[in-house]
Every structure is written in structure tokens, then in C-alpha cells.
Amino acid sequence: MTSRLIIETDQLARAFGDVVAVDGLCLQVRPGEIFGLVGPDGAGKTTTIRLLAAIMDPTGGSARVAGFDTVTEPEPIKRRIGYMAQRFNLYGDLSVWENLNFFADVFEVAGSERRERIERLLNFARLTEFRDRRAAHLSGGMQKKLALACTLIHTPEIIFLDEPTTGVDPVSRREFWGILTDLHLEGITLVISTPYMDEAERCSRVGLMYQGSLVVCDTPERVKAMTRGELIALWPSDPRRAKDILARHGEVLEVQTYGDQLRLFVRDAGSAMGWIDTALAAHGVEVLEMRPTRPRMEEAFISLIQGRMASEGS
């Protein structure tokens, strides 16, 4: 493993019978990064995290985490990592404080060090006033924060989080990411899988996964810069008809639909603003609003996936 890498995979693969969940993954993560695995359900994110956490063996390739091979040296890895599963996996009948104590037992954290860590984590996760509440009676957001606190009880170097904010309300999501940012500032390496493109924007680098493969891996800004052409946001009076009209135009590279809004990738946004209005008006479609804009991660992901599918089909 290169000294500047804390995670490295070489053609990592995992199949379940005839289904290939992870296909030839070559991934590199640097110490202290927030690394996001981004993609839709079924992209292979959860399987990748389980492989890296040495919970599951690959059927092909290899992975090294913190300098150790995930197959031949799983125990040193498990002492250095924290793993937070997607589903709530704490003990509902135990209180917040009792859950933290249980995981301290599991990781052999004892004495004054245990007490100090539990108090620090309660404060860190904003759970001090809920220390005696049963875990089952916490809100979804507080359950996620408790799960993270339990993951941190043995001060891991690397934390794997599998879709940690799925099913959590927006306010709790923001609070959770505030905690993750604090961990990042402490130098902890975070590997996070998420289906949310706005969360991808918060990562140091992102790996876009689709059907078990890594489509692209780079910083969010560079990923967004990989889209073709320039982007226009358009609100027409009839979005479906407008899409049919504009998709046939030679200057339009791609059309994406978001509710009543069309996102148009065109060769030149300046000239397109004029002919779009004229082309739609000729078919009785009114332009309610139109402006040039910059691609978001969501548009970039869809555009890159469509480009990949087109190249595979050709």
C-alpha cells in the first residue's frame, strides 16, 4: 500500500451467485478524507463498505485498510475502524448510557478512560440530557447520533457509515453532518455511502457507483465539471411538450426533467437562450422562466451515467 493511502482496492469484486454486486473496484482513499460512495439503490455501495470493513470476503481482487489485507488480516482492521450499519442496530431496551457502556465492554474500554469517553461522546452527540432514555424511545435522528457515538467509543482511525441519514428528517441530517464535520477536523477518515447528492457535495472526494462499478472518482467540483456543454434551467408552460421539442434540436446535448423544470445541456448557453424561446413559441409553449446555471451533483451523475450507457450500447 502507498504510504499516503489509508484504503486501497485492486479489482475488488463480490458476486452473489450470478449477481455481481461489486465489479472490479479500484479505489484509493487518503487519510483524513471524507470519501463518499454515491449512487442509487443496488449500485454496490453497501457491499463495498462491508468488504472494506472486513465483514465480508471478496470473490475477486483485494483490499487493504490501514495497511492490512481485509481477508488475511481482518482483526487488526477491526480494531482500527468503526462501522455504522444502515439499519438501527443498538439495543432498544437499554438506555443511551447503557448502550455506550455495552459497546465500551465490547471494545474493552475500562476505568476512568471509559467514563471520560462516554461523557465526551454524550456531549459530542448532543445526547447528555437523554442519557437515561431508552434507545427505542429516541427519535430517528437521535438514534443515528447514538449509533455514531457507540461507533466512536474505541476512537477508531477510520469510520465506515452506510447511508447514515436515510429516513432522517432534514434538521437531524444537518445536525448529523455537523458532527461528521467535527470528526473530519479531528483527522478521522470517513467513508460514507449515500443516495443523497447534496451530501456528496460535502465530501472531499466522491466515487460515483452504478451497477457495481465505479463510474468516476474525483472532487465534487471536478465531477460536476465533467458534464458536456453548458446548462440552462427552464420552466416552460408545458414541460413534457417542451422536452419533446427541444430534445430533437441539434444544439441540445441532453435534457433532464425535475418536476416542472427542464435542465438543458446545450453547446452554448448564450445563443441558446434566444432560439429556445423562439422554438417553443412556434409550438405554442410559453417560457415562464429561463436562466443559465451550474450543474449540481445530481445532474452530473445522471449525465455521466447516461453517457456511459450510450457508450456501452454503441
Side-chain angles (χ1 to χ4, degrees):
M1 173 181 283
T2 306
S3 60
R4 291 182 297 174
L5 299 175
I6 198 165
I7 298 170
E8 187 171 17
T9 71
D10 180 20
Q11 296 297 323
L12 188 66
R14 174 71 199 201
F16 299 94
D18 294 332
V19 178
V20 179
V22 176
D23 188 8
L25 191 67
C26 293
L27 198 64
Q28 297 180 332
V29 179
R30 305 181 189 103
E33 280 193 301
I34 303 180
F35 188 90
L37 285 172
V38 185
D41 291 344
K45 305 186 301 297
T46 294
T47 302
T48 298
I49 283 185
R50 290 176 177 171
L51 291 168
L52 295 177
I55 296 170
M56 178 187 295
D57 287 343
T59 52
S62 63
R64 296 184 70 83
V65 175
F68 301 97
D69 186 276
T70 58
V71 175
T72 61
E73 303 168 292
E75 292 309 314
I77 292 174
K78 290 175 182 178
R79 289 195 294 269
R80 289 166 172 80
I81 68 169
Y83 170 68
M84 183 174 161
Q86 182 177 346
R87 293 182 180 179
F88 183 62
N89 59 353
L90 302 177
Y91 294 92
D93 289 339
L94 299 183
S95 69
V96 168
W97 186 85
E98 288 168 337
N99 267 286
L100 285 165
N101 266 280
F102 172 81
F103 281 91
D105 283 338
V106 170
F107 289 105
E108 300 179 343
V109 180
S112 60
E113 185 179 23
R114 171 192 291 226
R115 291 191 295 273
E116 290 169 5
R117 286 192 193 177
I118 287 177
E119 290 302 324
R120 183 175 67 84
L121 288 169
L122 284 170
N123 182 62
F124 183 67
R126 288 87 155 169
L127 290 170
T128 301
E129 63 182 289
F130 304 102
R131 62 188 300 144
D132 296 322
R133 183 174 296 185
R134 288 186 179 184
H137 297 161
L138 297 173
S139 69
M142 285 193 288
Q143 287 181 349
K144 296 285 188 179
K145 289 190 284 186
L146 174 57
L148 179 59
C150 292
T151 301
L152 294 169
I153 195 70
H154 63 301
T155 60
E157 302 170 33
I158 309 164
I159 303 175
F160 294 103
L161 303 107
D162 187 11
E163 299 195 5
T165 59
T166 300
V168 174
D169 66 89
V171 174
S172 295
R173 278 179 65 196
R174 193 181 312 118
E175 290 177 352
F176 192 88
W177 269 93
I179 294 172
L180 295 184
T181 300
D182 291 340
L183 292 172
H184 172 58
L185 294 174
E186 291 179 12
I188 295 174
T189 303
L190 303 170
V191 178
I192 304 169
S193 71
T194 178
Y196 300 126
M197 296 300 164
D198 61 314
E199 292 188 347
E201 300 270 6
R202 298 172 178 261
C203 297
S204 311
R205 289 188 305 136
V206 293
L208 299 184
M209 292 192 70
Y210 184 70
Q211 293 183 346
S213 298
L214 194 65
V215 177
V216 67
C217 181
D218 215 322
T219 65
E221 286 304 313
R222 287 179 179 173
V223 170
K224 290 184 287 186
M226 293 177 187
T227 54
R228 300 177 299 158
E230 299 176 351
L231 185 61
I232 292 175
L234 171 67
W235 287 263
S237 58
D238 188 338
R240 180 176 295 181
R241 192 173 181 198
K243 180 179 180 180
D244 291 340
I245 295 165
L246 296 174
R248 297 193 297 268
H249 199 287
E251 293 297 309
V252 175
L253 303 172
E254 186 179 335
V255 184
Q256 296 180 16
T257 305
Y258 294 86
D260 61 350
Q261 178 190 165
L262 300 183
R263 310 280 281 190
L264 306 173
F265 286 93
V266 297
R267 300 185 192 280
D268 180 80
S271 62
M273 299 280 281
W275 62 254
I276 287 173
D277 204 343
T278 303
L280 292 180
H283 291 82
V285 178
E286 181 183 358
V287 173
L288 305 177
E289 186 178 350
M290 177 168 53
R291 61 172 181 264
T293 188
R294 297 182 63 191
R296 302 169 299 190
M297 185 62 71
E298 189 168 0
E299 283 109 19
F301 180 77
I302 293 172
S303 183
L304 290 167
I305 292 299
Q306 289 181 344
R308 175 173 175 151
M309 292 171 65
S311 64
E312 289 177 349
S314 60

